């Protein structure tokens, strides 16, 4: 009986993998469009966001980061780094986790590099884990919130935005 269950599980896994739709990375045009739409919404929803962005030396935007888990979990998103308003490079955010988790969520991630040192530190690293490789301030606001650009002193500032426009505090890994 046990042998039959093992074969059934193996066959089910092979069938699920082979029948799953193939995903393709978004094109540069699609990523750029998503980045612009995410920033426009961010600027519209949060007073002071544009002023803070204007003070930054680089902005990394992931318009859609999907996180899913059922015991094992993972998240993935594609985005772009903007320097002086122009796309400088494309990045993806990938992480895996294990533990109690269940569900799927989508969010946008915006990271502002406020100093050249912080930006160059990010660009020169092969992988980056926020909280280990960089000092980042995650800013938590509600809809209609505002940013006091004079109080933010961190070299890297992050915002996590859900589709409803609410921002909540989470960790970032990439």
């Amino acid at each position: 009986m046990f042998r039959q269950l093992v074969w059934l599980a193996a066959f089910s896994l092979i069938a699920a993998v082979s029948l799953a739709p193939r995903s393709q990375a978004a094109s540069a045009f699609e990523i750029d469009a998503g980045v612009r739409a995410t920033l426009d919404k961010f600027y519209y929803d949060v007073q002071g966001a544009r002023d803070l962005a204007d003070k930054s030396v680089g902005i990394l935007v992931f318009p859609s980061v999907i996180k899913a888990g059922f015991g094992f979990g993972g998240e993935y998103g594609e985005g772009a780094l903007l320097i002086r308003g122009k796309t400088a490079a494309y990045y993806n955010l990938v992480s895996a986790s294990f533990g109690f988790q269940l569900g799927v969520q989508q969010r946008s991630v915006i990271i502002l590099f406020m100093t050249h040192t912080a930006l160059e530190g990010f660009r020169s690293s092969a992988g980056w884990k926020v909280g280990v490789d960089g000092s980042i301030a995650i800013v938590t606001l509600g809809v209609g919130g505002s940013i006091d650009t004079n109080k933010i002193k961190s070299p890297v500032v992050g915002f996590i935005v859900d589709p409803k426009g609410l921002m909540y505090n989470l960790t970032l890994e990439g």
Side-chain angles (χ1 to χ4, degrees):
M1 180 70 171
F2 179 73
R3 181 183 258 176
Q4 290 174 331
L5 288 175
V6 170
W7 279 106
L8 179 62
F11 177 75
S12 297
L13 180 62
I14 291 169
V17 170
S18 65
L19 295 175
R22 303 286 180 235
S23 66
Q24 295 180 344
S27 70
F29 177 78
E30 292 169 323
I31 293 171
D32 289 340
V35 165
R36 296 290 174 204
T38 300
L39 283 176
D40 287 346
K41 181 168 179 24
F42 179 59
Y43 297 153
Y44 179 79
D45 288 346
V46 180
Q47 183 180 0
R50 185 177 298 275
D51 292 337
L52 186 63
D54 288 344
K55 290 181 180 181
S56 71
V57 295
I59 305 172
L60 180 61
V61 181
F62 294 96
S64 178
V65 177
I66 305 294
K67 183 175 185 176
F70 185 75
F72 290 100
E75 67 181 330
Y76 183 79
E78 296 175 328
L81 174 66
L82 304 178
I83 297 177
R84 289 184 223 105
K86 305 266 189 241
T87 301
Y90 295 96
Y91 291 89
N92 60 25
L93 184 143
V94 179
S95 72
S97 59
F98 175 75
F100 180 73
Q101 51 193 323
L102 176 65
V104 177
Q105 64 181 195
Q106 177 184 1
R107 63 186 194 218
S108 298
V109 176
I110 301 169
I111 300 173
L112 304 176
F113 296 93
M114 304 308 292
T115 66
H116 289 286
T117 304
L119 178 60
E120 290 311 312
F122 168 73
R123 294 186 83 186
S124 66
S125 66
W128 198 53
K129 184 172 183 177
V130 176
V132 174
D133 296 330
S135 172
I136 186 166
I138 303 292
V139 179
T140 305
L141 300 169
V143 172
S146 64
I147 299 170
D148 184 351
T149 59
N150 295 320
K151 290 186 178 180
I152 295 178
K153 302 295 183 198
S154 178
V156 184
V157 182
F159 297 88
I160 300 171
V161 186
D162 77 6
K164 297 177 188 85
L166 296 176
M167 299 182 189
Y168 49 97
N169 194 355
L170 293 174
T171 60
L172 295 173
E173 294 181 10

